Amino acid sequence: MKAAVLHRYAAPEFGNFVAPDPGAYPDGVAIEVRAATINSIDRVTAAGKHYLSPKTFPVVTGIEGAGVTADNQRVYFGRPIGPYGSMAENTVVPAGFAMPIPDSVDFPVAACLGNSGMAALMPLTDTAQLKPGDNVVLLGGSGVVGRLAIQAARLLGAGSVTVVGRDKAALDATVALGASATVSTEGLSAEQLTAAIREASGGVDVVVDYTWGEPALAAIAAGNPGVHLVQVGDRAGATMALPAQLLRSLGASVTGFMPVHHGPDAMMRAYGQLIAWVQRGDLTVDYELVPLPDVAAAWERSATARHKLVLVP
């Protein structure tokens, strides 16, 4: 079969790979792939910087996608069984990681709502337990996941949704999705950033943090009593100094997030909610279709794209 093949820790290359034999995986689900997303975790894993990084080569890269099972059921899938990944004509996954999708939802949209959708919705619902009226701040919220999180926060009844980032043009574009305010970090000291976030948000109740580093500290400092930061990504730095007195004075909490921490039932529930919003027309997904043979160029562009790049075998 044709696939995006990883021969070493680097970017994958388009080429041939032995197709999976469904008979070799009696507890697995064989899938004909129709769409596969390129995610941040794919790039980190392929670079050898993640605990899921492969130990032997070659392997097919990709953690998720959408396609059709042998009995012609349309599914979203995740966690392919190694050495197979999602960026191929065929793959195989554990039975619990293939979720049915309705006929009214296109395969690319279904694929985009998996890793990105859950990283947008579940920090708000399952981790922070957002209440209607809570003021939400999204750090690094102008990217693919953040743009979904803006819409999710609004649909959940957030009092305000403030997006914090560096790119002013990207920030401005979030207003049409429901951002009530934006804050650019460019040229601001830590104290100025804290003041800007507090003014824009009206005081922070929930922070969904895709950056860590100085923006995270500023967002906590701008918090209301009981502010809860959900840590999802670390694009602004892997470490930071977090003053103990700041946490105690606000009764603040910081919780690390990954969808699997909440279990498969919560993941399926979140995915079902995202699908329902799409079917109602309440949630929009920005994506670009890319032929699988162009994976190398798409891989490079995916690091800075504001929309999801979806490979089509």
Side-chain angles (χ1 to χ4, degrees), residues 136 150 154 159-163 174-175 178-182 200-201:
V136 174
I150 294 165
R154 278 300 188 201
S160 66
V161 182
T162 302
V163 183
T174 65
V175 175
S180 51
T182 64
S201 65

Side-chain angles (χ1 to χ4, degrees), residues 29-101:
V29 177
I31 297 172
E32 180 183 319
V33 180
R34 300 293 178 82
T37 59
I38 302 178
N39 298 287
S40 296
I41 189 173
D42 292 316
R43 294 192 300 272
V44 175
T45 300
K49 299 178 180 179
H50 195 275
Y51 68 87
L52 292 176
S53 294
K55 303 299 186 291
T56 60
F57 300 97
V59 298
V60 177
T61 194
I63 63 165
E64 67 169 354
V68 179
T69 64
D71 59 357
N72 208 35
Q73 186 176 44
R74 303 172 85 253
V75 296
Y76 162 81
F77 66 86
R79 297 286 186 98
I81 299 171
Y84 300 104
S86 60
M87 299 178 193
E89 293 177 318
N90 297 279
T91 193
V92 60
V93 304
F97 288 87
M99 294 183 277
I101 56 176

Side-chain angles (χ1 to χ4, degrees), residues 198 220-227 242-253:
R198 184 181 295 115
I220 294 173
N224 294 325
V227 60
L242 183 57
Q245 289 190 15
L246 175 62
L247 294 180
R248 294 200 303 270
S249 65
L250 290 171
S253 59

Side-chain angles (χ1 to χ4, degrees), residues 108-132:
V109 172
C112 291
L113 291 179
N115 182 70
S116 295
M118 292 179 195
L121 177 59
M122 294 180 72
L124 295 168
T125 53
D126 296 79
T127 307
Q129 298 181 0
L130 179 74
K131 302 182 298 296

Side-chain angles (χ1 to χ4, degrees), residues 234-276:
D234 54 11
R235 293 197 297 267
T239 62
M240 74 171 183
L242 183 57
Q245 289 190 15
L246 175 62
L247 294 180
R248 294 200 303 270
S249 65
L250 290 171
S253 59
V254 177
T255 307
F257 170 82
M258 287 184 68
V260 295
H261 295 332
H262 297 284
D265 289 345
M267 293 168 66
M268 291 186 70
R269 185 169 58 250
Y271 189 77
Q273 178 63 82
L274 293 161
I275 287 288

